[in-house]
Amino acid sequence: MTSGTTRTHLVWDWNGTLLDDTYAVVRATNAAFAEVELEPITPERYREMYTIPIPRFYERFLGRLPTEAEWERMDGVFHRYYAEQRTACGLTAGAEELLHGWQRAGRSQSLLSMYGHEQLVPVVRGYGIEPRFVRVEGRRGPSGGSKALHMERHFEALAGVDGIAPENAVVIGDALDDAVAAAHVGARAVLYTGGSHSRRSLEGAGVPVVDSLAEAVALAETFGG
């Protein structure tokens, strides 16, 4: 296939991208920090310091990696608080219209998140957008790691859906790890500034950085058919 005969497939991130939940994430992070007597941080500080894997993010504040017991405790508290806060979060401005428009144009899109799969699917369904995607997939296995291997498996599954291949895909996310995961499989990436990283942090990834999801989709349209 050539780029002239294929249509661009979008792989959307969920948290901080389609779901406007950064403030919920920061509140949950501060609850986790309290477990090890760390001072709370602001959303701005979070965006400047955020990194993957999550234990490395915590290391930036602790001055050392958390012990296994600390990590388990912090991770448990984070997910409990996040689940409470998430219910007040809405989709990012314009997301629903963009998803509908892409599907209406006959193009495919999928969702890959590092939010646990069993939690993700009913949440996406609850926002009424599940039918927009050919595949909705969350993290399977322990939390805290990189998206790269999950992206690899995602495309292995997508290969059976109308032959979707990474070279014809654009990953839209809010984290440096989204760009890393895209590069790992040979896909392009566009990073959105409304989520987990500051613009300055995202610009270090060497991929386009945009301030709205509409800009991300418009760029993706220029990458392929």
Side-chain angles (χ1 to χ4, degrees):
M1 285 187 177
T2 67
S3 61
T5 58
T6 58
R7 287 182 176 270
T8 301
H9 174 84
L10 298 183
V11 180
W12 291 93
D13 175 54
W14 179 241
N15 303 101
T17 303
L18 288 176
L19 185 65
D20 185 12
D21 67 346
T22 301
Y23 285 88
V25 168
V26 172
R27 291 186 193 107
T29 297
N30 283 331
F33 277 13
E35 284 294 301
V36 289
E37 300 182 348
L38 286 173
E39 292 295 318
I41 59 171
T42 63
E44 293 73 24
R45 181 73 168 153
Y46 180 93
R47 287 186 169 108
E48 286 295 332
M49 300 293 284
Y50 183 72
T51 191
I52 290 289
I54 300 297
R56 293 289 182 188
F57 173 55
Y58 291 162
E59 181 185 23
R60 292 183 168 187
F61 298 91
L62 279 169
R64 58 173 174 77
L65 282 170
T67 65
E68 187 174 341
E70 286 172 334
W71 162 250
E72 289 179 1
R73 201 163 77 246
M74 294 175 79
D75 194 47
V77 167
F78 174 88
H79 286 290
R80 277 202 308 278
Y81 271 77
Y82 176 77
E84 294 172 5
Q85 297 285 331
R86 199 271 316 154
T87 57
C89 298
L91 296 177
T92 298
E96 195 165 2
E97 294 78 9
L98 290 166
L99 293 172
H100 185 212
W102 193 263
Q103 183 186 44
R104 191 174 58 240
R107 292 169 164 152
S108 63
Q109 56 198 333
S110 59
L111 194 159
L112 177 62
S113 172
M114 291 299 281
Y115 193 36
H117 184 76
E118 299 304 321
Q119 293 77 38
L120 175 72
V121 173
V123 167
V124 173
R125 189 172 296 145
Y127 284 98
I129 57 173
E130 186 184 21
R132 305 297 177 211
F133 305 106
V134 296
R135 186 172 183 81
V136 174
E137 193 168 15
R139 170 184 47 79
R140 302 178 192 269
S143 62
S146 172
K147 206 174 197 175
L149 293 180
H150 296 274
M151 187 71 73
E152 190 177 310
R153 289 191 288 267
H154 190 66
F155 274 102
E156 286 171 0
L158 288 174
V161 183
D162 201 27
I164 294 168
E167 58 266 29
N168 301 319
V170 178
V171 175
I172 299 177
D174 69 311
L176 291 169
D177 195 46
D178 290 303
V180 171
H184 178 74
V185 297
R188 295 179 186 247
V190 178
L191 298 180
Y192 163 60
T193 60
S196 60
H197 286 289
S198 67
R199 170 175 275 279
R200 185 177 64 82
S201 298
L202 292 176
E203 286 174 344
V207 302
V209 176
V210 297
D211 296 317
S212 73
L213 297 186
E215 290 176 80
V217 170
L219 258 180
E221 287 179 322
T222 71
F223 289 160

